[in-house]
Every structure is written in C-alpha cells, then in structure tokens.
Amino acid sequence: MSHLLTKFFISRKPLIKQALRYAAVGVWGATFDITLFTILNQWFFGGVHYLLANIISLISSNIFTYFIQKKWTFKHKYARHRIQMPIYFFTSFIGLGCNEILLFFAVHYLHWQATGAKILIAFMVFFVNFTLDKHLTFNGRLK
C-alpha cells in the first residue's frame, strides 16, 4: 500500500509543487486582498459597501499576483502578456463572480460578518482559480 501511495505522489510531484507555489502566491495575494478589503470596507470614509470593496481589492490583488504566478508558479519566461494577461483576468473575473455571489449570499442571507465570509470564500474559490489558470492561462500552448 505504501508503495502505491509513494508512486502516486511521485508521479504527481510537479502538479503538487505547482499547487503549493500557487497557494503560497495566493496567500500573499489574499493577505493583500483582505487587508485592502478591510481598509476600504471598515475605515475608508466610513466604509465602502462590501461588494464594491471586494471588487476593488480582488482586482488589485490579481494585478499583483499575475506576474508572480507567471514567473514563479508556472515558470513562464517568455513575454506573452498580450495573450496571457487577458486570459488571466478572464479567469480572475470568473473567480470574482463566484466571490461576489458567495459573499452576497453569506452576508445577506446567512448574516455573516463580511471580512470573515471573505476569508472563507477565498479558500473555496482558490481551487476554481488554480484549475482555470493551470489549464487556460499558463498551459504552455501560448508560446
């Protein structure tokens, strides 16, 4: 049994390494995102509406993480920003849509606190974003 598990994980080592790097960059991006969200939602001129604060913080975070994901996570050294960046932001837009819908539901219907809901939702949307970025944005076919 342990031989099968070892073989399973070794054969997927590049994918696991990529996922861990994606998660590390995601933690940096999420920290930036949640910090900016909290500043906008709770402190900036009496508080920006939580859905607008979410959009602003996610877009800012996506700009920050695009270049790190490209160079470090997926090891893309060639400059294809005109092709990859719109795809990255398209996939990020899908994540943003999931984020907005789930955040609205959590705050409006479940009566959760906005920042706590945003943190939980960020973990949920991580898997959607990783899958889309791996297979659409940084798939190696855009050389």
Side-chain angles (χ1 to χ4, degrees):
M1 178 71 169
S2 67
H3 174 67
L4 291 173
L5 288 174
T6 304
K7 187 175 180 180
F8 175 81
F9 284 110
I10 289 175
S11 68
R12 285 165 179 71
K13 187 176 179 182
L15 178 63
I16 293 169
K17 187 176 179 181
Q18 253 183 2
L20 290 174
R21 285 181 177 216
Y22 193 88
V25 173
V27 168
W28 296 337
T31 301
F32 179 81
D33 174 28
I34 291 165
T35 301
L36 182 57
F37 173 82
T38 303
I39 290 168
L40 291 171
N41 183 246
Q42 295 179 9
W43 299 333
F44 191 74
F45 295 112
V48 174
H49 189 273
Y50 69 94
L51 292 176
L52 179 59
N54 187 49
I55 291 170
I56 293 168
S57 67
L58 276 170
I59 290 172
S60 301
S61 174
N62 284 328
I63 292 168
F64 169 72
T65 59
Y66 166 76
F67 294 100
I68 300 169
Q69 296 292 17
K70 178 180 176 64
K71 299 285 184 188
W72 188 58
T73 303
F74 296 104
K75 304 281 188 191
H76 279 235
K77 294 179 174 66
Y78 47 89
R80 298 294 295 187
H81 298 298
R82 289 184 305 179
I83 296 170
Q84 284 180 324
M85 191 177 273
I87 296 170
Y88 184 80
F89 284 106
F90 174 74
T91 61
S92 296
F93 182 74
I94 292 170
L96 174 66
C98 293
N99 221 295
E100 283 286 289
I101 291 166
L102 292 170
L103 186 60
F104 175 78
F105 181 80
V107 171
H108 190 73
Y109 291 108
L110 300 177
H111 307 288
W112 291 0
Q113 193 272 342
T115 304
K118 179 165 180 56
I119 291 169
L120 178 64
I121 290 164
F123 286 109
M124 295 166 55
V125 175
F126 164 82
F127 297 103
V128 172
N129 286 340
F130 176 72
T131 302
L132 290 172
D133 285 338
K134 176 156 183 59
H135 295 290
L136 293 177
T137 310
F138 302 110
N139 62 13
R141 289 183 245 155
L142 300 174
K143 292 183 181 178

